[in-house]
Amino acid sequence: MTDTIEFFFDVSSPWTCLAFHNIQPMMQKHNFDIRWRPFLVGGVHNQVNPAVFEARASTDSPKWKQVGRSLYDWAAQSGVTMNFPSEHHPLRSVYLMRFCCLLEQDQETLLRFARAGFDAYFTDKANLDDPERLIALANDIGLDGAAMWAQSQDQSCKDHLRANTDEAIARGAYGSPSIFVPFGDGERLYFGNDQLPLVGWAVEENRRRS
């Protein structure tokens, strides 16, 4: 058994921001590692969940008003500053997630960069679709933002992001975050911040059955 879950994420999602912060202490408690897997949630929605775009057009409906209230309640409960939405929402996150792909093999650095990205977008309302702001974000945590921007334009980086997105879809993902937990001879997929209690249950149930 591998004591590692996979967390497929796109920094542009507010629910992913909450789950990103909440899952870390949970997995430390359960002594499980997290492998951070950047993907493009827009690509997921385009392929398997296009109805999400139509649903977002009805933001005055009772459902979406409740969703908005619960988002801020979760943020308060989690201790996460959530200044959302900003004028830059929805974020075209392809450049940002290519930067994340460049760091995937260095999980510690990817974690630091993703945290900085979530803070910049959801707390500071930064426009992370702006290459100059993205380069500055990388520079701020000690990376070479200009070099990363150049590398992110390489076809290999674009293919990396597409491959991660296609992999998540093939495994059943339909949004961000998509969390894969080893379970018996296979895996369980859990979606979003609200299902984190089930993630905690699954890792312990997997251990009990092993």
Side-chain angles (χ1 to χ4, degrees), residues 5-209:
I5 68 168
E6 292 178 86
F7 188 95
F8 282 80
F9 72 99
D10 187 315
V11 174
S12 67
S13 160
W15 295 104
T16 304
C17 178
L18 294 172
F20 172 84
H21 288 287
N22 289 329
I23 201 169
Q24 293 180 62
M26 174 184 289
M27 290 301 101
Q28 289 175 0
K29 176 181 177 181
H30 290 288
N31 197 29
F32 249 70
D33 291 329
I34 305 171
R35 179 161 181 79
W36 306 101
R37 304 291 310 278
F39 74 160
L40 193 64
V41 72
V44 175
H45 289 157
N46 284 335
Q47 290 195 49
V48 299
N49 192 21
V52 71
F53 300 117
E54 181 179 349
R56 287 175 180 171
S58 303
T59 54
D60 289 332
S61 69
K63 174 185 176 180
W64 280 101
K65 289 179 180 178
Q66 174 60 28
V67 167
R69 283 193 296 267
S70 64
L71 174 67
Y72 282 98
D73 287 348
W74 268 111
Q77 189 268 349
S78 305
V80 174
T81 302
M82 183 66 65
N83 294 321
F84 177 82
S86 76
E87 62 180 317
H88 306 300
H89 174 74
L91 173 67
R92 182 179 179 271
S93 59
V94 62
Y95 297 149
L96 172 61
M97 300 317 298
R98 286 181 193 165
F99 269 47
C100 288
C101 283
L102 292 172
L103 302 172
E104 185 172 358
Q105 297 308 311
D106 183 348
Q107 288 279 296
E108 182 178 345
T109 303
L110 173 57
L111 178 61
R112 290 194 298 115
F113 181 76
R115 182 181 295 113
F118 282 119
D119 289 347
Y121 188 58
F122 291 104
T123 299
D124 301 332
K125 299 184 177 182
N127 179 12
L128 298 185
D129 186 38
D130 178 356
E132 291 302 319
R133 184 63 184 84
L134 194 54
I135 289 169
L137 180 71
N139 290 340
D140 286 345
I141 64 167
L143 302 175
D144 186 338
M148 290 184 69
W149 173 255
Q151 293 166 20
S152 73
Q153 303 307 301
D154 290 346
Q155 189 61 46
S156 60
C157 182
K158 298 175 184 179
D159 291 344
H160 184 163
L161 181 57
R162 181 182 295 274
N164 278 12
T165 304
D166 289 345
E167 177 189 340
I169 292 170
R171 292 166 67 180
Y174 56 91
S176 178
S178 292
I179 305 164
F180 293 91
V181 181
F183 202 88
D185 294 331
E187 63 186 10
R188 293 286 179 89
L189 165 63
Y190 297 99
F191 169 71
N193 181 72
D194 292 4
Q195 291 194 346
L196 290 186
L198 291 176
V199 173
W201 169 83
V203 298
E204 290 302 326
E205 181 65 11
N206 188 39
R207 281 204 176 113
R208 186 186 70 80
R209 297 184 181 190

